[in-house]
Amino acid sequence: MNRHVTPQNIGAAIAALEARFPSSVSTGKSARRLHAGDESHHEPSEPDIVVHPKSTAEVVDVVKIAARNRVPVTPFGAGSGLEGGAIPHRGGISLDTSELSEIFEIRPDDMIARVGAGVRRLDLNQALRDTGLFFPVDPGANASIGGMVSTGASGTNAVRFGVMRENVLGLTVVTAEGKVVKTGSLARKSSSGYDLTRLFVGSEGTLGVVTEVTLRLHPIPDAVSAHAGFETLAGAVNAVTDIKRAGLQIGRVELLDAPLVDVINRRGDMRLEHLPTLFFEFHGAPAEIASLSGTIADIVSENGGRSLEWPANAEESRVLWETRRDCLAWAKAEREGAHSWPTDVCVPISRLAEVVLETREDVARSGIPAYIVGHVGDGNFHCVFMLRPEEEAEVARLSDRIVERALAAGGTASGEHGVGLGKRKFQQQEHGAEAIALMRSLKAALDPHGILNPGKVLPDT
């Protein structure tokens, strides 16, 4: 039984949900355990009941039952979150959105798709395969679109196509009172009214339950990949800054530090020099990229880089980006009994090299295996620790140091993973007391009884 509602209230809510959804709820141990955690390092906590609504109308009924009984509701997407946002740590209802999986509409001429919150990212792009369009936000995992809205997700394509906030045109949201609010429109821009869409994007289910999403699509670009090793981490980061200043169309650029390159050489199909390495994807016609290759090579060389290596064909490019996707899982497998703890800061690009180098020095002193990867084109990097249980206190200390360093540099505690449980304690330091007070006022206005994903995002009072 959860700690924050009475047994009578949760019992009444369970009875009402079982009556309303006889085939779509479960109080069984296995279902509750499945919804107790995500991919983060945070302690799992089981809900009292799991519900699988199939429509916005059914979500309305779930929320109304929760509101009537003052029972928490925690939305659950694919369970791939990294900051505990989907953990129902105050019990109550885990609202699983996986059956909100309909692709309602694809409008190729408008470059728009309207989908259910439970649609997975890869399934959407598969459905788009014959349109010449794609949805570019790629957090790595096959996350649900609703979950990506919840955390304000980003990923490897952000430097060219932006993050979720730039690619969500509208939402259908169920409020804490069980009302249905539709935000945005099919237009590509608007200056009409308050921007409710972006209020809900990144709110992690604390202000409303997202059930439908209208997305901006993009033409699939001509892309050419390359990679290069660098003598120093700083040189790799500075090369990216110089390439962006030169106006070259970077579609993706990913930093991998030397320890992670070693893992790739042991476990992957690529063979790289033992150096900090950048994986590039340049967008534009191949002839255009070829004409710029000399400029790119000069910038790389000026920053201590080796010669750019260009994959010979599409298969080699595929292997390059699959290597980036899989390398952290390979690193985890190298240490028996380890689990991962990823950090997620973002800083001004002018400070990125400094922050990355100081982080690497902290890791070297600690002796705990950790790997630095980053979407360095937008200042976002991750130091991913592979730790054993007895090392958690030290990793928590190191993780806090990374956040403090990022905030001191004018950055943020979370570039793309969200706040969830893990980053709440930094919110006032990052945003200031008055901003936090305003956020609390918004939360109280939209969720007066505090039933929507309680204990997330905002710091404790």
Side-chain angles (χ1 to χ4, degrees):
M1 194 64 65
N2 76 78
R3 303 182 301 277
H4 295 267
V5 295
T6 67
Q8 291 80 10
N9 281 20
I10 193 64
I14 289 173
L17 290 167
E18 289 177 333
R20 172 64 182 83
F21 304 102
S23 62
S24 300
V25 301
S26 178
T27 56
K29 187 70 174 176
S30 60
R32 290 165 53 212
R33 185 182 299 117
L34 180 64
H35 292 77
D38 53 17
E39 294 296 320
S40 73
H41 61 277
H42 297 290
E43 188 72 24
S45 180
E46 292 181 6
D48 295 286
I49 187 169
V50 179
V51 188
H52 294 81
K54 297 179 176 64
S55 66
T56 296
E58 291 192 355
V59 173
V60 168
D61 290 347
V62 173
V63 173
K64 284 184 174 179
I65 290 169
R68 187 164 63 244
N69 294 281
R70 304 292 190 265
V71 171
V73 178
T74 302
F76 186 96
S80 58
L82 294 170
E83 284 296 348
I87 296 176
H89 78 134
R90 295 185 183 174
I93 301 164
S94 178
L95 192 156
D96 188 312
T97 63
S98 60
E99 295 193 33
L100 302 173
S101 57
E102 185 175 352
I103 297 176
F104 298 106
E105 187 177 22
I106 294 173
R107 300 167 65 106
D109 290 345
D110 293 318
M111 296 192 292
I112 289 171
R114 187 167 61 88
V115 304
V119 170
R120 299 291 190 96
R121 176 183 65 85
L122 293 179
D123 294 338
L124 173 58
N125 278 325
Q126 179 68 14
L128 294 169
R129 65 190 183 281
D130 295 328
T131 68
L133 302 171
F134 82 128
F135 180 64
V137 183
D138 176 6
N142 189 18
S144 70
I145 297 297
M148 292 168 66
V149 170
S150 173
T151 59
S154 179
T156 61
N157 288 317
V159 66
R160 174 72 189 277
F161 296 104
V163 300
M164 286 300 285
R165 281 185 172 85
E166 285 81 55
N167 289 284
V168 175
L169 295 173
L171 299 168
T172 299
V173 180
V174 177
T175 72
E177 296 176 323
K179 296 179 180 179
V180 178
V181 174
K182 294 184 181 291
T183 77
S185 70
L186 298 180
R188 304 289 282 188
K189 65 177 184 177
S190 172
S191 60
S192 174
Y194 298 134
D195 193 345
L196 296 180
T197 301
R198 283 164 185 78
L199 175 64
F200 288 109
V201 174
S203 66
E204 303 187 38
T206 62
L207 303 179
V209 180
V210 172
T211 61
E212 297 178 18
V213 187
T214 303
L215 297 167
R216 185 191 303 266
L217 306 178
H218 298 262
I220 298 172
D222 290 327
V224 179
S225 298
H227 63 88
F230 288 78
E231 294 293 342
T232 65
L233 274 171
V237 175
N238 291 333
V240 175
T241 303
D242 290 348
I243 288 172
K244 290 189 68 178
R245 286 174 179 161
L248 305 183
Q249 289 293 332
I250 305 178
R252 292 190 274 186
V253 56
E254 295 289 300
L255 171 69
L256 301 89
D257 69 357
L260 194 53
V261 167
D262 281 349
V263 172
I264 289 168
N265 287 336
R266 286 193 293 272
R267 293 180 174 263
D269 294 327
M270 296 184 71
R271 293 296 173 264
L272 304 169
E273 288 191 79
H274 173 62
L275 294 171
T277 296
L278 291 177
F279 286 0
F280 293 102
E281 186 175 87
F282 299 101
H283 288 174
E288 179 185 2
I289 299 300
S291 70
L292 295 173
S293 61
T295 303
I296 297 167
D298 287 345
I299 292 172
V300 168
S301 177
E302 288 166 3
N303 287 280
R306 299 286 202 260
S307 297
L308 274 169
E309 295 190 32
W310 304 83
N313 50 47
E315 175 62 17
E316 288 189 7
S317 292
R318 183 190 64 79
V319 169
L320 185 149
W321 293 108
E322 284 192 355
T323 296
R324 167 61 185 91
R325 184 192 66 200
D326 295 339
C327 60
L328 287 171
W330 297 338
K332 181 179 177 181
E334 295 223 323
R335 196 177 193 210
E336 186 176 354
H339 65 278
S340 64
W341 182 320
T343 65
D344 172 41
V345 296
C346 189
V347 299
I349 294 176
S350 62
R351 301 292 298 278
L352 182 60
E354 164 196 341
V355 173
V356 167
L357 289 173
E358 290 179 3
T359 299
R360 174 43 69 192
E361 290 172 3
D362 277 354
V363 168
R365 285 192 293 267
S366 77
I368 298 173
Y371 305 89
I372 291 177
V373 298
H375 317 314
V376 286
D378 54 14
N380 186 197
F381 80 95
H382 313 290
C383 180
V384 185
F385 294 91
M386 302 301 176
L387 67 153
R388 293 181 174 138
E390 64 272 16
E391 297 164 336
E392 287 193 0
E394 175 63 4
V395 171
R397 183 188 71 82
L398 293 168
S399 179
D400 286 356
R401 278 179 58 83
I402 292 170
V403 174
E404 296 282 357
R405 186 178 291 122
L407 295 179
T412 177
S414 181
E416 58 184 356
H417 295 167
V419 175
L421 292 168
K423 299 294 178 63
R424 291 189 306 144
K425 63 184 179 181
F426 298 108
Q427 293 300 285
Q428 185 151 319
Q429 181 180 349
E430 178 172 342
H431 300 288
E434 293 302 322
I436 293 298
L438 181 57
M439 292 181 198
R440 290 194 193 282
S441 297
L442 287 168
K443 171 69 170 172
L446 295 176
D447 182 19
H449 300 297
I451 64 168
L452 296 179
N453 208 4
K456 309 292 173 55
V457 181
L458 293 174
D460 290 330
T461 55

